[in-house]
Amino acid sequence: SSLVLRNRRGHKLSGKLNPVSDTRAARLVALHVPAGSPPTPFLEPGPFECVWEGFLKLEINKARSFDLRGRGAAEVEIAGNSVLEASGDDLHAATATPVQLEQGLNRILVRYRSPATGHAELRLYWSGGETPRGPLPPAGEPWRVFRRN
């Protein structure tokens, strides 16, 4: 499976603020942008936002816990319900209570906003039952990821 990463930043054109975007494929809900670097080679450096959308496909009903690593601000939604929010220099400080995921497709949405200064970093992990803590599996339905300012 793949992630599609779209980055949008605003710029002035004819006196109006118009978004500029970039799209690329990615595998995981993860990113690292060093301070002073652009989020992609085609956009200017500066603060940005990302949104990952996709589905987690499970063979059986399972309870899972989600946690974040990195800095900035992030929110994780499962089936339209916010299950984890964190902000600051240590996103790991917040841990979600276990969430019951249903057999089949479970819609997931991850929003991320970079810090105003310094490096931007995000990684999403899950665990539960016999599954040790690790990144969400890249297999399954394709992810759509959007970045914007």
Side-chain angles (χ1 to χ4, degrees):
S1 142
S2 65
L3 295 171
V4 177
L5 182 58
R6 183 174 301 135
N7 186 330
R8 291 192 329 170
R9 296 189 41 83
H11 81 279
K12 295 232 176 194
L13 180 65
S14 304
K16 295 182 180 179
L17 189 62
N18 294 310
V20 176
S21 66
D22 180 31
T23 303
R24 67 176 176 87
R27 288 184 51 240
L28 302 169
V29 178
L31 63 82
H32 178 82
V33 179
S37 296
T40 77
F42 306 105
L43 298 172
E44 297 293 321
F48 62 91
E49 293 182 3
C50 292
V51 178
W52 285 262
E53 277 185 277
F55 295 90
L56 295 172
K57 186 175 183 180
L58 298 178
E59 298 298 320
I60 59 174
N61 296 348
K62 289 277 186 178
R64 298 278 190 239
S65 293
F66 294 87
D67 70 276
L68 298 162
R69 299 283 199 252
R71 59 189 304 268
E75 178 183 14
V76 178
E77 289 182 11
I78 304 290
N81 298 310
S82 181
V83 298
L84 179 59
E85 287 186 61
S87 63
D89 284 336
D90 182 10
L91 296 181
H92 183 59
T95 301
T97 57
V99 176
Q100 185 65 34
L101 299 176
E102 303 299 323
Q103 178 181 0
L105 298 178
N106 293 268
R107 182 178 166 86
I108 183 169
L109 177 82
V110 180
R111 291 185 182 92
Y112 174 75
R113 187 176 62 249
S114 68
T117 61
H119 72 278
E121 185 176 8
L122 177 70
R123 295 204 185 290
L124 175 63
Y125 295 97
W126 72 341
S127 62
E130 70 285 348
T131 305
R133 183 182 162 275
L136 299 180
E141 294 295 313
W143 290 86
R144 291 185 319 216
V145 181
F146 309 92
R147 284 186 176 178
R148 65 184 176 276
N149 182 13

